[in-house]
Amino acid sequence: MNLADLFDLSLIGRAAAVALEWLGGDSVSPVLTFSDLDLQSNRLAQLLYSRGLKKGDRLCVYLPNRPEVVLLYLACVKLGVIFVPINVLYRQREVSLILEDSEPKAVVAEQKEVHGSASWAIDELVQAASGHSAERPATPVDGDCPAALVYTSGTTGRSKGAVLSHNNFAANALNLVSCWQFSAADRLLLSLPLFHVHGLGNGLHCWLLSGCRLGLSKRFSRDHAAEDFMRFRPTVFFGVPTMYVRLLNIAEETAGEIGQFMRLFVSGSAPLPEAVFDHFELRFGHRILERYGMTETLMNFSNPYLGERRPGTVGRPLPGVSVRLLDDFGELVPDEETGEIYLRGANVFQEYWKQPVATAEVFKDGYFRTGDLASRSRDGYFTLRGRRSDVIISRGFNVYPREIEEFLEEQPEVAEAAVVGVPDAVLGQRPVAFVVLRRPVEGAELQERCRADLAAFKVPADFHVVEALPRNALGKIQKHLLRGSSEPPAGS
């Protein structure tokens, strides 16, 4: 089977039901049924075929959230074309590198030109498709065929394209729909960008497989978040930690009402501070469900839907996901100790596009080496400890930045913290902290508190106060920008 076969449970099985409500306010089709999605995506697929796209070709899509992105994705799935989403925040150099690497047959964007490259304008494309047949193209696509080529964020070098198959997406969606108890009665509010696997791999696939109703917004906005919730009245919301921080600004009475019609809040893509977890539960009456995934693997771990959602952890492995925690010598680490996460399962990607050496380097005995560090409790809950590349070696000891960050974020004056290692001629490296404050506090005071509760080699040598931490589109802190700063930030 391929993804289209699974989506037919909704596209055909719930043809007359409302499938999508566009909350962006600038589309000619604010409401689409599953039948609308099916027929319009068929027409787009026929148009793409008439313009020379065939199975295995790449189609780059450089668009913000809008219903037409969904139609394009469905058209690619049906035609066997590989969907290549591009982050709309990327600029010319970043976009050019992806175009050069993926060698697409075409690019779809809002304009006819993307940073000097010719493209198809999405509105004209949709209009042209209306004159084509609504019959589904007869293209043989099996589960191992690539469905998408999604580029990593490239925080440690040039980004790589992860090849994700129909089977990868299907395994992921079947897991989440089952474990998070999605049904056709649900209403999913999605403001995550569809150019990222969080929005595309989790959001769209859970919706299309379950047959629920999707409320799609152009982007998350702190000014319109409450309005979107009250207008669409979702039962499920997928977000990242920064979104949940913003939601805490919603008036207490409104937050309470939202909590009454919601059943599930999910957080991922970055660690959720325990203070946010606790405050959110008090305000909305819900314990956020944290999970862990990657571009290359989609979802790997989840706190239980029914059972203890333990703050600060990402729960247990999802069904079919095998996990090893290994030390630097490739040996299994015992419970409560930190090791690198290795994964195996139907959710794990096939390869890095055109990079056989890089692909070989990240697989060992059939397991994918994630580069992420974690520990496992004696009852099986996993806690992320940061990236292997972020580990600081000071005085010969391994220092895990996340431990220091969690301690700093427990301080009442600190809203957010990021710790990086900087070179030191004597120590090898020394920890340096960047903090966003709720109210003033001296760095010396924070340093003294660290000394009282942390080993000496873990205490940050310097504290820099910043207005905000640099983040990517999904809210993940870009530590390489902090580490690469040649001058201390303003306010240090």
Side-chain angles (χ1 to χ4, degrees):
M1 297 181 73
N2 59 42
L3 285 172
D5 297 321
L6 286 176
F7 295 162
D8 280 345
L9 296 171
S10 299
L11 298 177
I12 296 175
R14 293 180 51 77
V18 173
L20 185 153
E21 292 184 32
W22 172 235
L23 307 179
D26 56 354
S27 173
V28 294
S29 301
V31 177
L32 294 168
T33 65
F34 283 109
S35 178
D36 293 333
L37 292 176
D38 192 25
L39 297 179
Q40 291 184 33
S41 60
N42 284 349
R43 291 190 173 96
L44 260 178
Q46 295 285 1
L47 173 64
L48 295 178
Y49 182 77
S50 73
R51 295 192 177 186
L53 275 88
K54 60 185 183 300
K55 180 180 174 180
D57 286 337
R58 278 75 61 205
L59 179 70
C60 284
V61 178
Y62 185 68
L63 290 169
N65 284 7
R66 51 187 291 173
E68 293 80 4
V69 176
V70 178
L71 296 175
L72 273 174
Y73 180 67
L74 286 172
C76 288
V77 164
K78 293 173 178 180
L79 198 56
V81 167
I82 303 173
F83 186 83
V84 188
I86 301 178
N87 189 329
V88 295
L89 300 179
Y90 283 177
R91 294 300 174 248
Q92 182 168 348
R93 180 179 182 278
E94 297 158 310
V95 173
S96 296
L97 287 173
I98 291 177
L99 297 182
E100 176 187 334
D101 189 63
S102 62
E103 299 179 298
K105 183 64 70 76
V107 181
V108 180
E110 292 192 311
Q111 311 297 329
K112 281 191 171 182
E113 187 172 292
V114 178
H115 301 302
S117 301
S119 63
W120 295 338
I122 182 60
D123 290 335
E124 293 181 12
L125 199 66
V126 171
Q127 184 176 2
S130 64
H132 282 257
S133 167
E135 183 178 352
R136 184 175 298 187
T139 304
V141 179
D142 64 35
D144 288 327
C145 288
L149 178 57
V150 184
Y151 281 80
T152 61
S153 57
T155 57
T156 58
R158 183 167 175 166
S159 61
K160 299 184 289 290
V163 179
L164 295 166
S165 69
H166 285 247
N167 280 340
N168 292 148
F169 282 119
N172 184 70
L174 288 165
N175 258 349
L176 299 188
V177 168
S178 174
C179 292
W180 295 348
Q181 298 193 6
F182 267 88
S183 75
D186 275 312
R187 300 170 67 91
L188 171 62
L189 176 59
L190 191 63
S191 51
L192 293 163
L194 298 180
F195 56 72
H196 192 277
V197 290
H198 195 163
L200 177 70
N202 298 344
L204 288 197
H205 289 76
C206 284
W207 158 56
L208 289 167
L209 186 59
S210 68
C212 69
R213 183 177 296 198
L214 179 71
L216 180 66
S217 64
K218 193 167 187 177
R219 67 178 69 86
F220 181 85
S221 166
R222 71 170 80 186
D223 297 327
H224 299 104
E227 179 184 344
D228 284 347
F229 271 93
M230 296 302 292
R231 172 184 166 192
F232 184 67
R233 301 183 76 82
T235 60
V236 182
F237 177 74
F238 290 169
V240 299
T242 50
M243 292 181 180
Y244 287 107
V245 172
R246 305 302 183 218
L247 290 177
L248 291 176
N249 294 323
I250 291 177
E252 187 171 350
E253 182 178 344
T254 303
E257 185 174 349
I258 290 171
Q260 290 177 14
F261 55 71
M262 285 290 299
R263 74 168 182 85
L264 179 63
F265 291 93
V266 179
S267 181
S269 295
L272 182 74
E274 288 190 39
V276 176
F277 183 99
D278 294 337
H279 192 185
F280 192 90
E281 184 177 10
L282 288 173
R283 202 167 187 82
F284 287 83
H286 285 265
R287 291 175 73 82
I288 297 170
L289 187 152
E290 288 188 79
R291 85 308 177 277
Y292 159 68
M294 297 181 68
T295 299
E296 294 94 335
T297 64
L298 302 169
M299 291 303 101
N300 307 307
F301 299 85
S302 174
N303 270 270
Y305 180 74
L306 299 175
E308 181 189 0
R309 300 180 192 172
R310 191 173 297 175
T313 79
V314 291
R316 299 185 175 103
L318 287 163
V321 179
S322 299
V323 182
R324 290 176 175 174
L325 288 186
L326 303 182
D327 62 19
D328 292 342
F329 303 100
E331 300 295 328
L332 292 169
V333 302
D335 288 345
E336 308 296 349
E337 291 193 15
T338 296
E340 184 174 356
I341 303 172
Y342 285 71
L343 300 167
R344 185 178 66 185
N347 57 309
V348 178
F349 78 134
Q350 297 179 332
E351 62 183 344
Y352 287 121
W353 179 256
K354 297 194 304 185
Q355 296 201 42
V357 174
T359 301
E361 287 175 346
V362 296
F363 282 95
K364 177 182 179 180
D365 299 329
Y367 281 75
F368 170 63
R369 181 180 185 178
T370 66
D372 286 324
L373 301 172
S375 62
R376 181 184 55 246
S377 68
R378 289 182 173 82
D379 59 351
Y381 279 71
F382 284 74
T383 300
L384 298 180
R385 300 299 183 188
R387 293 285 295 170
R388 173 172 287 282
S389 58
D390 290 338
V391 172
I392 302 164
I393 302 177
S394 183
R395 307 182 195 181
F397 295 102
N398 283 358
V399 178
Y400 300 106
R402 189 61 202 151
E403 179 185 3
I404 307 170
E405 291 160 358
E406 289 174 351
F407 176 78
L408 290 173
E409 288 170 353
E410 291 172 4
Q411 309 311 307
E413 301 91 346
V414 178
E416 293 181 300
V419 174
V420 300
V422 299
D424 186 282
V426 176
L427 304 176
Q429 288 180 299
R430 67 180 188 277
V432 172
F434 295 78
V435 293
V436 178
L437 298 180
R438 291 191 178 92
R439 55 179 184 268
V441 62
E442 292 295 325
E445 171 62 23
L446 293 176
Q447 192 174 55
E448 195 57 38
R449 295 180 198 174
C450 288
R451 285 198 183 99
D453 285 87
L454 300 174
F457 62 85
K458 298 178 183 179
V459 176
D462 300 293
F463 286 82
H464 301 306
V465 177
V466 294
E467 292 185 3
L469 297 172
R471 298 179 183 273
N472 65 14
L474 264 291
K476 192 171 294 184
I477 297 172
Q478 296 180 295
K479 288 191 174 182
H480 66 292
L481 297 179
L482 296 174
R483 193 181 294 112
S485 299
S486 58
E487 297 293 335
S492 61

